[in-house]
Amino acid sequence: PRYRPDWASLDARPLPAWFDRAKVGVFVHWGVFSVPAWGSEWFWWHWQGLHDAACERFVRRRFPPGTTYAEFAPLFTAHDFQPRQWAQLFQRAGARYVVLTTKHHEGFTNWGSPVSWNWNSVDTGPHRDLVGELGEALRESNLHYGLYHSLMEWFNPLYLADKQSDFKTQNFVLKKTMPELYDLVLKYKPDLIWSDGDWEAPDSYWNSTSFLAWLYNDSPVKDTVVVNDRWGRGCSCRHGGFYNCADKYRPGTLPEHKWEMCSSLDRLSWGYRSNMSLAEVMDEMSMIEELVQTVSLGGNYLLNVGPTKEGVIVPIFQERLLALGRWLDTNGEAIYESQPWRVQMENTTDTVWYTSKGPLVFAIFLLWPRDSVLCLSSPIPSPGTQVTLLGFAGTLKWQNQPGKGMLITLPYMLPSPLPPQSGWAVKLEGVK
C-alpha cells in the first residue's frame, strides 16, 4: 500500500526491524561551531541572536575586531579527519549505527549542498564531502548510517522572512530545506533521518508529510529508512517513526512506542568545547546506567561525541567509547536484539533492570551486592532454572527466596579499594 501524506497513514508504517535490534548508536555533532568551540553548538545564536555578554567577550578576546561567524568557516579544516579511524572506533564502542550532523541550525552543510552556496564543507573549510566520506567508511564497517538535519537555520534571510509572515510563505522550505533533504536521501541513501529544528513552525509549513510520503513510497531507501519525531511544532512524541520526545528524554515507565534516548559524553554540550573539564564528562558508570535503563524500557541509546575542528575525537571521549565497547563485548547478549521483559526493574531497588530474549531473561545489576548474593524478587524460578553470569564460565548456585523470587550466589570478587566496573548481567533460563 502507498502511504498518503498525512499522519494517520505515515504513522501506520511499521518501523524497519534493524533499528530496534541495534539498540546502541553514536551521535556526532560537528560543524563550524567546532571552531569557537566554546559554550556549545548554539554559539552563534548566543553570540548574535541573544548578544550574550560572555560570548561577546570571548570573541573580543580571541578574534580580530569585526569578526563575523562566517569567518570561522575557513578555520573548520578537518585536517586530521580520518573517517576509517572514526568508523573503527564506533564499531569498537559497540555501536550499530552512527548519526552525523549534516547541517545544524547554523545552516553550514557538511556536504556540497547545491542550495548552500559557499556555506558548505566542499566550497570552504575542509574542501571535503564529510557526509560522503564518513558514510563510505561506516558502510565498510557494516554500521548503519544516520543523518541529522536541522529544518531551520537561525539567520537565513529566507527563513527569517517566512517567520516574519507567520509562516504563511514557504520560500525557505521550497528553496532550501526540502531540496537539501531530497539531495541527502538521493546522494547518500541514509538508513536513518534524524530531523531537528522543527519547533517554531507547524509541519504544514515544513511540508513534512509530503516528504515522508515520498521517502516511504518512492525513495531509494523506502523499505529500510527510519525517521524520528521532529517534523513540526507539536509532532514530538506523537508523530514520525521512533520518538525522541526531548533531548536526554527518560520515561519513568515502559512507553508503548519505540523511542530513543540521546545523551552526550560532555554533559554541558553536544559540540566540542575546548575548555571542557574532566568533571563535566560522563563517567563509565553513568554511561552504562543510562544504556541499561534505556534498553530495559524498550529504547535505543544514542551517545554523542563532539569532534574538534580538525576532526579529532579527543582521547577522553575515545576512552569512554572503548569502555562502553568492552562492557558490551561481555554483556551485549543482554542488550542487542533484546525485548523489554514483563517487569523492567526490581521495584525494591533501581539498580536491577531486566531485558529478555524469547524464553531467556537477563537481570542486569548496576551495583555488586555486598555479600555477593543477588536477590531478585521478580523472576519465578522452576526446578530446572539455570543461572549464568555473562563473561564468567560455569553456572551459578541459586535458591528460592522466602516469599518469592530467588537468591543467586555470585562468584567471589577480590577485595579492592576501587568499586569494580559497573554493571553485570545474569542470564536466567527456565524462569517465568
Side-chain angles (χ1 to χ4, degrees):
R2 285 180 69 79
Y3 294 97
R4 296 184 313 275
D6 60 62
W7 288 121
S9 175
L10 297 168
D11 288 344
R13 175 185 184 249
L15 195 72
W18 73 262
F19 183 74
D20 180 50
R21 293 205 289 255
K23 304 299 181 198
V24 186
V26 170
F27 210 176
V28 183
H29 272 71
W30 197 30
V32 173
F33 50 79
S34 312
V35 172
W38 195 81
S40 78
E41 66 292 346
W42 279 60
F43 180 83
W44 193 9
W45 178 252
H46 291 149
W47 173 32
Q48 308 214 296
L50 301 179
H51 300 288
D52 174 79
C55 287
E56 290 179 338
R57 203 163 46 242
F58 170 85
V59 177
R60 264 202 313 279
R61 281 190 185 152
R62 307 224 186 166
F63 298 96
T67 294
T68 63
Y69 193 80
E71 289 170 83
F72 293 150
L75 306 175
F76 176 47
T77 62
H79 279 324
D80 299 313
F81 171 48
Q82 299 200 28
R84 278 205 176 94
Q85 280 185 4
W86 281 24
Q88 280 162 3
L89 172 66
F90 300 153
Q91 195 176 35
R92 288 175 66 195
R96 297 279 169 93
Y97 64 105
V98 175
V99 179
L100 172 72
T101 38
T102 64
K103 181 188 85 170
H104 201 256
H105 316 319
E106 61 183 19
F108 185 92
T109 68
N110 281 329
W111 84 103
S113 161
V115 290
S116 194
W117 182 78
N118 235 10
W119 192 233
N120 67 70
S121 66
V122 176
D123 290 344
T124 181
H127 296 289
R128 291 168 71 174
D129 174 3
L130 306 176
V131 175
E133 287 187 40
L134 184 60
E136 216 169 288
L138 292 172
R139 294 218 156 103
E140 280 173 16
S141 296
N142 284 323
L143 294 173
H144 288 278
Y145 193 23
L147 303 180
Y148 165 106
H149 174 269
S150 171
L151 295 170
M152 61 98 95
E153 296 174 20
W154 291 312
F155 299 111
N156 189 303
L158 293 174
Y159 181 66
L160 295 175
D162 284 352
K163 195 167 161 178
Q164 198 70 50
S165 80
D166 203 23
F167 300 112
K168 300 284 183 285
T169 58
Q170 285 180 296
N171 287 318
F172 175 70
V173 176
L174 300 174
K175 292 181 179 162
K176 190 74 165 67
T177 297
M178 281 303 154
E180 284 184 341
L181 274 171
Y182 284 97
D183 190 44
L184 284 170
V185 172
L186 294 170
K187 215 175 258 172
Y188 304 110
K189 304 178 179 54
D191 300 305
L192 187 156
I193 295 174
W194 212 101
S195 183
D196 195 17
D198 60 320
W199 59 85
E200 291 186 341
D203 63 83
S204 53
Y205 166 73
W206 296 116
N207 290 349
S208 300
T209 53
S210 47
F211 169 71
L212 292 173
W214 169 79
L215 189 69
Y216 296 169
N217 290 325
D218 302 308
S219 81
V221 288
K222 61 183 171 47
D223 301 323
T224 48
V225 74
V226 169
V227 305
N228 66 344
D229 55 354
R230 299 185 184 184
W231 295 98
R233 194 172 54 220
C235 284
S236 260
C237 243
R238 287 181 55 208
H239 296 303
F242 63 90
Y243 293 170
N244 285 116
C245 299
D247 292 352
K248 307 189 182 184
Y249 172 66
R250 277 183 158 172
T253 54
L254 180 66
E256 285 175 12
H257 195 93
K258 181 63 194 180
W259 64 287
E260 176 191 71
M261 191 251 204
C262 58
S263 188
S264 187
L265 279 174
D266 176 356
R267 296 175 192 269
L268 302 186
S269 174
W270 300 85
Y272 175 69
R273 295 182 303 133
S274 62
N275 61 340
M276 175 180 69
S277 75
L278 188 57
E280 293 159 347
V281 179
M282 245 206 288
D283 58 28
E284 188 178 338
M285 188 157 176
S286 320
M287 202 169 55
I288 305 295
E289 208 168 295
E290 280 190 348
L291 166 73
V292 169
Q293 293 177 6
T294 298
V295 173
S296 295
L297 291 171
N300 276 18
Y301 186 53
L302 183 66
L303 184 60
N304 175 75
V305 292
T308 68
K309 63 182 190 288
E310 295 84 11
V312 172
I313 295 170
V314 290
I316 189 65
F317 290 164
Q318 295 187 37
E319 192 273 335
R320 291 293 188 270
L321 289 176
L322 293 171
L324 178 65
R326 279 194 302 276
W327 190 87
L328 284 162
D329 283 344
T330 304
N331 301 290
E333 193 189 342
I335 300 292
Y336 301 118
E337 279 109 41
S338 68
Q339 294 294 313
W341 192 44
R342 62 176 171 83
V343 177
Q344 287 79 59
M345 60 182 277
E346 278 295 347
N347 52 12
T348 47
T349 159
D350 63 354
T351 59
V352 180
W353 294 77
Y354 290 99
T355 60
S356 69
K357 246 184 222 179
L360 300 176
V361 176
F362 298 90
I364 307 169
F365 53 106
L366 299 170
L367 295 175
W368 191 269
R370 271 239 166 96
D371 46 6
S372 289
V373 174
L374 180 65
C375 150
L376 302 177
S377 55
S378 301
I380 304 162
S382 60
T385 294
Q386 278 216 329
V387 182
T388 46
L389 179 68
L390 297 186
F392 185 82
T395 55
L396 304 183
K397 290 198 172 74
W398 65 273
Q399 60 193 74
N400 283 305
Q401 184 171 268
K404 63 169 189 164
M406 53 201 297
L407 296 170
I408 298 166
T409 307
L410 297 168
Y412 177 68
M413 294 286 266
L414 288 172
S416 149
L418 294 170
Q421 68 166 77
S422 49
W424 302 262
V426 288
K427 175 159 70 168
L428 311 172
E429 297 174 64
V431 298
K432 285 204 177 102

